[in-house]
């Protein structure tokens, strides 16, 4: 029987895995990385960039708030007056919890995986709102490019500290690039504004010892897959079944692995039913096959909103492994 790591690598290279990879089983995610991201259920707060956030009670996640003058950037041409890089934690104390977690991981079995969010595209609309960010790409492309370059510089500076302190083997990086049915911007615009940044960021990680780049975008983004490959993404996590996943595997499987297919909204919901989950796992595994594909919830963390979902999905994946291997 292959180890978890061996089985993942066989899956990714189209070799001879002996079972399905079960969701996030191959990573040990270091959420203690001091990125400055906070999760404050039921509260409203400002983060280290000055972005206002809300997580209303009863909701499954938090979101940035831009109404009533709360947006950090009111005018993209004046972004330099309003956007300042936050200080990056460098003390041993700030990184102690992350390092302790990393040191406790059996690296023969799992990848020590650093978490980073939000990504470059998300940062642009967190700072000014989605509509204004998308409009600025058309109306003020020079100012937007300057902002994107500034955000990229910050992320590279953070990455340098993280690599020195933690020496992760994998990165789970969040940046949602689409809705369920479309990318937020055209492939040409994505290539112009965001591909150069991600090339720099992901190449830096690879040059400094990271083996796996796992990029989370729970969305439609089939039209961006060639660029994902170009910037160095090894695994696209969050691929929704609104993408034609079998077609993507056939076209690109030798160059990138697709992780998802189980739309979290249809398996991880109040009063979730085993019959529904089992059916979706079965259909997903049969449709996408045993190579270049990892059945997984599309949510960007190995967590569940409602108790028991993850364990039952894993149980169903085990059953499909018995059938298909």
């Amino acid at each position: 029987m292959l180890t978890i790591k061996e089985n993942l690598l066989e899956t990714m290279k189209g070799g001879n895995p002996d079972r399905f990879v079960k969701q996030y089983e191959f990573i040990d995610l270091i959420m203690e990385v001091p990125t400055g991201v906070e999760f404050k259920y039921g509260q409203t707060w400002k983060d280290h960039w000055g972005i206002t956030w809300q997580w209303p009670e009863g909701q499954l996640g938090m979101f940035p708030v831009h109404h009533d003058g709360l947006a950090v950037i009111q005018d993209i041409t004046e972004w330099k007056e309003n956007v300042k890089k936050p200080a990056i934690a460098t003390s041993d104390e700030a990184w102690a919890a992350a390092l302790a977690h990393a040191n406790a991981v059996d690296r023969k079995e799992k990848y020590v995986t650093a978490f980073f969010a939000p990504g470059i595209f998300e940062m642009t609309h967190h700072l000014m709102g989605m509509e204004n960010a998308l409009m600025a790409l058309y109306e003020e492309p020079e100012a937007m490019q300057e902002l994107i370059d500034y955000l990229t510089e910050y992320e590279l500076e953070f990455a340098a500290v993280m690599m020195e302190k933690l020496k992760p083997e994998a990165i789970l990086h969040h940046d949602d690039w689409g809705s369920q049915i479309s990318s937020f911007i055209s492939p040409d615009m994505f290539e112009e504004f965001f591909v150069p940044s991600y090339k720099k960021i992901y190449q830096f990680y690879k040059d400094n010892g990271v083996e796996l780049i796992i990029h989370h975008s729970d969305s439609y983004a089939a039209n961006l897959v060639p660029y994902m490959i170009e910037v160095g993404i090894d695994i696209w996590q969050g691929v929704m079944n609104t993408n034609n996943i079998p077609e993507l595997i056939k076209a690109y499987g030798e160059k990138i692995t697709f992780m998802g297919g189980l739309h979290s909204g249809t398996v991880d919901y109040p009063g979730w039913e085993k019959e529904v989950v089992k059916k979706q796992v079965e259909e997903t595994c049969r449709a996408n096959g045993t190579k270049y594909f990892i059945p997984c919830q599309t949510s960007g963390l190995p967590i569940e909103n409602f108790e028991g979902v993850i364990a039952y999905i894993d149980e169903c994946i085990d059953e499909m492994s018995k059938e298909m291997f």
Side-chain angles (χ1 to χ4, degrees), residues 196-220:
S197 291
Y198 273 102
K199 272 188 173 179
K200 291 176 185 176
I201 293 166
Y202 288 156
Q203 190 60 53
F204 177 85
Y205 282 127
K206 288 291 182 76
D207 288 346
N208 286 275
V210 169
E211 298 174 37
L212 286 181
I213 301 293
I214 307 159
H215 185 100
H216 164 80
S217 179
D218 51 346
S219 64
Y220 176 90

Tab-separated table of all heavy atoms in Angstrom, residues 196-220:
chain	number	residue	atom	x	y	z
A	196	PRO	N	1.702	37.922	-14.611
A	196	PRO	CA	3.071	38.282	-14.217
A	196	PRO	C	3.284	38.237	-12.703
A	196	PRO	O	4.339	37.785	-12.238
A	196	PRO	CB	3.226	39.710	-14.758
A	196	PRO	CG	2.274	39.777	-15.906
A	196	PRO	CD	1.090	38.963	-15.469
A	197	SER	N	2.290	38.669	-11.937
A	197	SER	CA	2.415	38.649	-10.478
A	197	SER	C	2.517	37.228	-9.951
A	197	SER	O	3.378	36.913	-9.115
A	197	SER	CB	1.210	39.349	-9.832
A	197	SER	OG	1.249	40.727	-10.077
A	198	TYR	N	1.632	36.366	-10.434
A	198	TYR	CA	1.645	34.998	-9.930
A	198	TYR	C	2.868	34.216	-10.396
A	198	TYR	O	3.345	33.321	-9.688
A	198	TYR	CB	0.335	34.285	-10.265
A	198	TYR	CG	-0.677	34.548	-9.181
A	198	TYR	CD1	-1.688	35.477	-9.351
A	198	TYR	CD2	-0.557	33.917	-7.952
A	198	TYR	CE1	-2.576	35.750	-8.321
A	198	TYR	CE2	-1.434	34.177	-6.925
A	198	TYR	CZ	-2.440	35.094	-7.106
A	198	TYR	OH	-3.301	35.375	-6.075
A	199	LYS	N	3.377	34.548	-11.542
A	199	LYS	CA	4.641	33.923	-11.965
A	199	LYS	C	5.742	34.245	-10.960
A	199	LYS	O	6.518	33.368	-10.550
A	199	LYS	CB	5.039	34.428	-13.351
A	199	LYS	CG	4.473	33.648	-14.507
A	199	LYS	CD	5.107	34.138	-15.803
A	199	LYS	CE	4.711	33.287	-16.978
A	199	LYS	NZ	5.307	33.770	-18.244
A	200	LYS	N	5.828	35.500	-10.564
A	200	LYS	CA	6.854	35.910	-9.604
A	200	LYS	C	6.663	35.215	-8.265
A	200	LYS	O	7.618	34.690	-7.671
A	200	LYS	CB	6.811	37.432	-9.404
A	200	LYS	CG	7.243	38.252	-10.587
A	200	LYS	CD	7.070	39.743	-10.289
A	200	LYS	CE	7.382	40.598	-11.500
A	200	LYS	NZ	7.121	42.036	-11.239
A	201	ILE	N	5.430	35.206	-7.779
A	201	ILE	CA	5.162	34.657	-6.449
A	201	ILE	C	5.410	33.150	-6.415
A	201	ILE	O	6.128	32.638	-5.539
A	201	ILE	CB	3.712	34.976	-6.032
A	201	ILE	CG1	3.543	36.483	-5.814
A	201	ILE	CG2	3.322	34.194	-4.778
A	201	ILE	CD1	2.096	36.937	-5.743
A	202	TYR	N	4.841	32.430	-7.376
A	202	TYR	CA	4.958	30.982	-7.330
A	202	TYR	C	6.350	30.511	-7.709
A	202	TYR	O	6.825	29.478	-7.206
A	202	TYR	CB	3.876	30.338	-8.202
A	202	TYR	CG	2.488	30.455	-7.593
A	202	TYR	CD1	1.349	30.409	-8.383
A	202	TYR	CD2	2.324	30.605	-6.222
A	202	TYR	CE1	0.080	30.509	-7.822
A	202	TYR	CE2	1.068	30.710	-5.655
A	202	TYR	CZ	-0.055	30.664	-6.454
A	202	TYR	OH	-1.299	30.766	-5.885
A	203	GLN	N	7.045	31.252	-8.561
A	203	GLN	CA	8.429	30.892	-8.867
A	203	GLN	C	9.321	31.094	-7.652
A	203	GLN	O	10.234	30.298	-7.402
A	203	GLN	CB	8.961	31.712	-10.043
A	203	GLN	CG	10.306	31.218	-10.572
A	203	GLN	CD	10.248	29.789	-11.073
A	203	GLN	OE1	9.399	29.460	-11.904
A	203	GLN	NE2	11.124	28.931	-10.564
A	204	PHE	N	9.032	32.151	-6.891
A	204	PHE	CA	9.801	32.372	-5.659
A	204	PHE	C	9.645	31.183	-4.719
A	204	PHE	O	10.643	30.694	-4.148
A	204	PHE	CB	9.348	33.656	-4.959
A	204	PHE	CG	10.052	33.899	-3.644
A	204	PHE	CD1	11.286	34.529	-3.618
A	204	PHE	CD2	9.501	33.462	-2.438
A	204	PHE	CE1	11.947	34.727	-2.410
A	204	PHE	CE2	10.152	33.653	-1.235
A	204	PHE	CZ	11.377	34.294	-1.219
A	205	TYR	N	8.441	30.732	-4.535
A	205	TYR	CA	8.228	29.579	-3.660
A	205	TYR	C	8.965	28.348	-4.181
A	205	TYR	O	9.635	27.644	-3.404
A	205	TYR	CB	6.736	29.274	-3.531
A	205	TYR	CG	5.989	30.179	-2.591
A	205	TYR	CD1	4.832	30.846	-3.000
A	205	TYR	CD2	6.412	30.366	-1.280
A	205	TYR	CE1	4.125	31.665	-2.120
A	205	TYR	CE2	5.719	31.184	-0.401
A	205	TYR	CZ	4.576	31.835	-0.835
A	205	TYR	OH	3.888	32.644	0.035
A	206	LYS	N	8.837	28.075	-5.468
A	206	LYS	CA	9.505	26.900	-6.036
A	206	LYS	C	11.023	27.012	-5.910
A	206	LYS	O	11.710	26.026	-5.612
A	206	LYS	CB	9.100	26.725	-7.506
A	206	LYS	CG	7.663	26.249	-7.718
A	206	LYS	CD	7.489	24.811	-7.256
A	206	LYS	CE	6.077	24.274	-7.502
A	206	LYS	NZ	5.788	23.931	-8.881
A	207	ASP	N	11.550	28.194	-6.125
A	207	ASP	CA	12.996	28.406	-6.026
A	207	ASP	C	13.510	28.210	-4.605
A	207	ASP	O	14.713	28.005	-4.395
A	207	ASP	CB	13.373	29.812	-6.505
A	207	ASP	CG	13.262	29.968	-8.009
A	207	ASP	OD1	13.160	28.950	-8.718
A	207	ASP	OD2	13.257	31.126	-8.483
A	208	ASN	N	12.616	28.294	-3.636
A	208	ASN	CA	13.016	28.206	-2.232
A	208	ASN	C	12.513	26.932	-1.548
A	208	ASN	O	12.414	26.890	-0.322
A	208	ASN	CB	12.546	29.450	-1.481
A	208	ASN	CG	13.388	30.669	-1.818
A	208	ASN	OD1	14.442	30.900	-1.235
A	208	ASN	ND2	12.936	31.440	-2.799
A	209	GLY	N	12.239	25.915	-2.343
A	209	GLY	CA	12.027	24.600	-1.767
A	209	GLY	C	10.603	24.101	-1.674
A	209	GLY	O	10.371	22.976	-1.217
A	210	VAL	N	9.625	24.898	-2.102
A	210	VAL	CA	8.243	24.427	-2.074
A	210	VAL	C	8.027	23.429	-3.210
A	210	VAL	O	8.353	23.713	-4.361
A	210	VAL	CB	7.255	25.608	-2.188
A	210	VAL	CG1	5.835	25.106	-2.427
A	210	VAL	CG2	7.315	26.460	-0.924
A	211	GLU	N	7.468	22.278	-2.876
A	211	GLU	CA	7.244	21.224	-3.869
A	211	GLU	C	5.883	21.332	-4.541
A	211	GLU	O	5.751	20.998	-5.720
A	211	GLU	CB	7.366	19.851	-3.193
A	211	GLU	CG	8.739	19.564	-2.610
A	211	GLU	CD	8.772	18.262	-1.838
A	211	GLU	OE1	8.098	17.300	-2.269
A	211	GLU	OE2	9.444	18.201	-0.792
A	212	LEU	N	4.874	21.773	-3.787
A	212	LEU	CA	3.507	21.800	-4.313
A	212	LEU	C	2.897	23.184	-4.164
A	212	LEU	O	2.855	23.738	-3.060
A	212	LEU	CB	2.615	20.817	-3.555
A	212	LEU	CG	2.743	19.323	-3.798
A	212	LEU	CD1	1.715	18.598	-2.939
A	212	LEU	CD2	2.552	18.983	-5.261
A	213	ILE	N	2.413	23.724	-5.273
A	213	ILE	CA	1.602	24.933	-5.237
A	213	ILE	C	0.149	24.507	-5.402
A	213	ILE	O	-0.249	24.001	-6.457
A	213	ILE	CB	1.986	25.920	-6.349
A	213	ILE	CG1	3.457	26.326	-6.241
A	213	ILE	CG2	1.058	27.135	-6.322
A	213	ILE	CD1	3.811	27.157	-5.027
A	214	ILE	N	-0.636	24.687	-4.344
A	214	ILE	CA	-2.062	24.360	-4.375
A	214	ILE	C	-2.810	25.689	-4.389
A	214	ILE	O	-2.707	26.477	-3.437
A	214	ILE	CB	-2.476	23.540	-3.142
A	214	ILE	CG1	-1.578	22.309	-2.981
A	214	ILE	CG2	-3.948	23.134	-3.230
A	214	ILE	CD1	-1.561	21.743	-1.572
A	215	HIS	N	-3.518	25.949	-5.464
A	215	HIS	CA	-4.229	27.226	-5.568
A	215	HIS	C	-5.720	26.986	-5.431
A	215	HIS	O	-6.310	26.214	-6.184
A	215	HIS	CB	-3.945	27.919	-6.902
A	215	HIS	CG	-4.562	29.279	-6.981
A	215	HIS	ND1	-3.834	30.426	-6.771
A	215	HIS	CD2	-5.846	29.682	-7.199
A	215	HIS	CE1	-4.638	31.472	-6.872
A	215	HIS	NE2	-5.875	31.034	-7.117
A	216	HIS	N	-6.335	27.686	-4.462
A	216	HIS	CA	-7.770	27.575	-4.246
A	216	HIS	C	-8.524	28.640	-5.018
A	216	HIS	O	-8.271	29.837	-4.871
A	216	HIS	CB	-8.123	27.712	-2.764
A	216	HIS	CG	-9.582	27.976	-2.548
A	216	HIS	ND1	-10.532	26.976	-2.576
A	216	HIS	CD2	-10.264	29.129	-2.344
A	216	HIS	CE1	-11.733	27.501	-2.389
A	216	HIS	NE2	-11.592	28.814	-2.256
A	217	SER	N	-9.462	28.200	-5.844
A	217	SER	CA	-10.436	29.093	-6.469
A	217	SER	C	-11.698	28.276	-6.687
A	217	SER	O	-11.784	27.514	-7.648
A	217	SER	CB	-9.918	29.645	-7.804
A	217	SER	OG	-10.867	30.490	-8.415
A	218	ASP	N	-12.658	28.407	-5.749
A	218	ASP	CA	-13.882	27.602	-5.877
A	218	ASP	C	-14.826	28.322	-6.827
A	218	ASP	O	-15.663	29.113	-6.423
A	218	ASP	CB	-14.530	27.316	-4.521
A	218	ASP	CG	-14.753	28.548	-3.666
A	218	ASP	OD1	-14.186	29.614	-3.983
A	218	ASP	OD2	-15.494	28.453	-2.671
A	219	SER	N	-14.654	27.996	-8.094
A	219	SER	CA	-15.296	28.794	-9.127
A	219	SER	C	-15.261	28.058	-10.465
A	219	SER	O	-14.667	26.999	-10.607
A	219	SER	CB	-14.549	30.123	-9.286
A	219	SER	OG	-13.215	29.884	-9.738
A	220	TYR	N	-15.876	28.702	-11.434
A	220	TYR	CA	-15.591	28.373	-12.826
A	220	TYR	C	-14.311	29.107	-13.202
A	220	TYR	O	-14.194	30.315	-12.996
A	220	TYR	CB	-16.724	28.825	-13.741
A	220	TYR	CG	-16.413	28.574	-15.201
A	220	TYR	CD1	-16.757	27.373	-15.795
A	220	TYR	CD2	-15.735	29.523	-15.961
A	220	TYR	CE1	-16.437	27.117	-17.123
A	220	TYR	CE2	-15.420	29.281	-17.292
A	220	TYR	CZ	-15.774	28.084	-17.857
A	220	TYR	OH	-15.444	27.832	-19.164
